[in-house]
Amino acid sequence: MNKLKKQLLFIHSAGSQKSGQGSSGLAAFIKSSLGEEYHVLCPRMPEPENPQCTSWQEQLKEEFSLIKNDVMLIGHSLGGSVLLKFLCEEEIDITIAGLFLIAAPFWGSDDNWQNDEFTLPEGFPSTLPSINNLVLYHSKDDPIVPFTHMEHYKKHFSHAHARVLEGDDHYFHEGLPRLIADVQKSPSKNDQEGF
């Protein structure tokens, strides 16, 4: 009898996703590192070089309709903030085994990051579905999304695991091994071990 593959949905960053750009390197690293035990979905989001929250959320609805059991979710940069907003605003009827947010902007946190379209709703932590593991990743010297954005998320998610990364990587073209380790130990409904 074949063992069911664990499902993982990866939502990429804004900007070009051609080879060597955007989240392309990170997505390839995730797929190759997790191997055959995981079914990794990496949809191309609409117009990534001119992203609109509404069209990205419509795409997410479509992706979630294809998922039949528990899932792990990874959002990179803008993909992380849109994924989180989607989870706060939509009814999700599947188990979320883990949510991993990499260098995600916290919209509305400072003057350079104001955009009502992407800003989380008031009281958003209470509207999230139940998530077994929430993990945040951010480089101390990220040149694109300041490290302070992770601090904003930590204030709202006291239960989150925060992975503070040395250096200035934002795109992680060479990969993010700590993410792989966290995904692999994130329990699905049938697993007993966790963080």
Side-chain angles (χ1 to χ4, degrees), residues 96-108:
I96 298 173
L99 173 61
F100 308 88
L101 301 177
I102 305 164
F106 191 102
W107 294 94

Side-chain angles (χ1 to χ4, degrees), residues 64 73 83-96 99 124-134 157 159:
F64 271 82
L73 305 171
L83 183 56
L84 186 58
K85 184 175 171 69
F86 176 83
L87 294 173
C88 291
E89 295 178 345
E90 297 292 329
E91 285 193 30
I92 308 296
D93 60 359
I94 57 173
T95 304
I96 298 173
L99 173 61
F124 68 88
S126 65
T127 64
L128 268 180
S130 175
I131 298 173
N132 293 337
N133 294 310
L134 173 57
F157 296 126
H159 65 290

